[in-house]
Amino acid sequence: MKKILFIFIAVLFALGCNTHAKQENIALNNGEKWKVNEEMKPFLEESNEILNNYIANNNENYTELAENLKNENFKLIKSCTMKGESHEELHKWLHPHMELIEKLAKAENQKEANKIIKQLKDSFAVYHNYFE
């Protein structure tokens, strides 16, 4: 039930925010990073920390990792209060990031999961390049 609710909210979120399935080019805000609302930052930071801890501890339970990241995204979506261009730019990053988490949840083996985990790590690097 929790998974269905997450997927439902993610779809509504994507449709409501006019996001696209493929990675779009994220632009800086006149050469500066975009500001992310304070209400949303803890969930982004916690997701990044969950991923970093997973990697640092050589964990291999990638399905648990996917669930933990989904839970943080669910909280992030509920806390979304951003509007305007910063909101749109964040969604250019977030939607593909969420798709990676879905792929991780469906990974068939550790080798496949490790490739996706690397992509998630790279995704967080992109986030930190464009948002603060």
Side-chain angles (χ1 to χ4, degrees):
M1 181 64 179
K2 192 185 239 186
K3 185 175 181 178
I4 293 169
L5 181 61
F6 174 78
I7 292 170
F8 177 74
I9 290 173
V11 168
L12 286 177
F13 183 67
L15 293 174
C17 296
N18 194 25
T19 58
H20 303 281
K22 66 180 185 122
Q23 178 72 44
E24 296 184 44
N25 290 330
I26 303 169
L28 287 170
N29 183 11
N30 296 317
E32 301 292 324
K33 292 181 180 183
W34 294 100
K35 303 270 189 231
V36 175
N37 287 9
E38 292 300 319
E39 304 85 14
M40 298 172 68
K41 283 183 184 180
F43 307 114
L44 292 161
E45 291 167 2
E46 182 64 20
S47 291
N48 196 18
E49 188 171 324
I50 288 169
L51 180 65
N52 288 336
N53 287 339
Y54 176 93
I55 294 168
N57 294 321
N58 295 313
N59 196 329
E60 293 187 351
N61 190 346
Y62 60 86
T63 55
E64 180 181 30
L65 172 62
E67 278 303 310
N68 290 339
L69 294 174
K70 283 182 191 182
N71 288 336
E72 290 305 311
N73 280 343
F74 179 75
K75 295 176 204 174
L76 175 70
I77 291 166
K78 284 179 58 175
S79 72
C80 183
T81 58
M82 291 177 69
K83 304 256 188 262
E85 197 172 354
S86 62
H87 182 249
E88 294 302 317
E89 293 301 312
L90 181 63
H91 286 275
K92 289 179 185 179
W93 170 80
L94 183 58
H95 189 70
H97 185 81
M98 290 173 63
E99 287 179 346
L100 286 172
I101 295 169
E102 283 301 318
K103 281 177 61 177
L104 179 62
K106 296 174 184 174
E108 295 184 14
N109 56 55
Q110 192 66 50
K111 184 177 179 181
E112 181 182 348
N114 288 345
K115 287 181 184 178
I116 299 165
I117 289 165
K118 166 79 169 86
Q119 292 173 323
L120 284 166
K121 183 79 173 154
D122 293 345
S123 177
F124 273 116
V126 169
Y127 169 80
H128 290 294
N129 284 335
Y130 289 94
F131 302 96
E132 61 181 0

